Amino acid sequence: MKKWSEEAWDVARPTYLKIIEHPFVEELARGTLAADKFLFYLWQDSLYLAHYSRVLTHIASRLTEKEHIAAFIRFASDGIEVEEALHGSFLKGDVPAPEEISPTCLLYTSVLQAQATAPVEVEAAAVLPCFWVYQQVGRQIIARQQGSGNPYAQWIETYADPSFTEATSQAIGICDALAEKTGPETRRRMTDIFLRCTKMEWLFWDSAWYLESWKI
């Protein structure tokens, strides 16, 4: 029997392939991405992470295994520390106001927050794409870089870093452990939300590519 994570990745793979083929990701790898698009992405990512860290902490409060609780608390703490340092280097310490959130960022964070009343297995599966997709994309970009001097190398190296790979493996392992102890209906819901949030990852990059704004 396949692990839940293997089944979920098989379902989400077509979306992942569209992510690594997206022009935002391709130009990021080449170092030719326009600065305004990258800064738009970071601006929205900063708003996203403020919500994401709270979701990670909420998941920790619902888990029962001590090792799982400790891992999610660490994910939240490490994520805030690493991302704040990364954003500080590019955003020069500027902090976006909550009302500057884009439609896509608002949608993604709302999807995550809506899982607060779902089974904890489903809520954990919802945050997994932010680990797994980024880790895989980081590896792809590293492999596709052309020469040195990429102005976005610091961002790229963060998500291709071995410590982030280790955290991703831990998050996958926890989701698999949770899936093993639940029934087929909850397992199906885990897969559904994993796919939906993988699609949210695609939308996030796409919104930065087009410098998305509110129409009214």
Side-chain angles (χ1 to χ4, degrees):
M1 182 178 178
K2 279 187 175 182
K3 292 182 178 180
W4 169 81
S5 61
E6 294 172 334
E7 295 176 352
W9 190 257
D10 284 346
V11 171
R13 187 183 303 277
T15 303
Y16 166 71
L17 293 176
K18 288 185 180 296
I19 288 172
I20 61 174
E21 293 169 357
H22 196 284
F24 185 99
V25 175
E26 290 183 340
E27 292 201 6
L28 186 66
R30 292 197 296 265
T32 58
L33 183 67
D36 59 341
K37 294 182 179 182
F38 185 68
L39 289 174
F40 178 96
Y41 162 80
L42 283 185
W43 201 250
Q44 294 303 317
D45 199 35
S46 180
L47 291 166
Y48 168 85
L49 288 166
H51 294 275
Y52 187 70
S53 61
R54 289 195 289 270
V55 173
L56 292 173
T57 303
H58 184 257
I59 293 169
S61 74
R62 303 179 69 195
L63 294 167
T64 57
E65 297 288 338
K66 290 182 179 179
E67 290 183 3
H68 296 173
I69 295 167
F72 267 83
I73 290 173
R74 186 170 60 254
F75 294 157
S77 177
D78 290 351
I80 291 170
E81 183 178 335
V82 171
E83 297 286 354
E84 282 187 349
L86 189 60
H87 289 160
S89 65
F90 284 103
L91 297 178
K92 310 303 181 184
D94 290 342
V95 179
E99 60 269 20
E100 295 179 83
I101 195 166
S102 69
T104 292
C105 188
L106 179 59
L107 174 61
Y108 195 178
T109 55
S110 297
V111 168
L112 293 180
Q113 291 166 347
Q115 309 316 309
T117 56
V120 66
E121 297 90 348
V122 176
E123 189 177 17
V127 301
L128 188 57
C130 194
F131 284 93
W132 203 351
V133 171
Y134 269 85
Q135 187 263 335
Q136 290 293 318
V137 169
R139 287 178 57 191
Q140 284 286 333
I141 292 176
I142 287 287
R144 289 154 58 179
Q145 281 194 101
Q146 300 175 1
S148 59
N150 189 319
Y152 308 117
Q154 188 178 1
W155 183 92
I156 294 165
E157 289 165 4
T158 298
Y159 288 99
D161 187 89
S163 62
F164 186 69
T165 298
E166 182 181 354
T168 300
S169 296
Q170 285 183 309
I172 294 169
I174 291 171
C175 285
D176 278 333
L178 293 173
E180 286 177 8
K181 296 180 180 179
T182 193
E185 175 60 21
T186 299
R187 189 175 171 118
R188 181 193 63 77
R189 290 179 63 184
M190 290 174 69
T191 302
D192 288 348
I193 197 64
F194 179 83
L195 174 59
R196 186 174 305 152
C197 289
T198 301
K199 291 180 177 181
M200 292 291 103
E201 294 290 340
W202 183 91
L203 283 173
F204 207 91
W205 274 301
D206 193 62
S207 69
W209 178 254
Y210 290 106
L211 301 174
E212 179 187 49
S213 63
W214 293 91
K215 302 303 180 184
I216 56 173

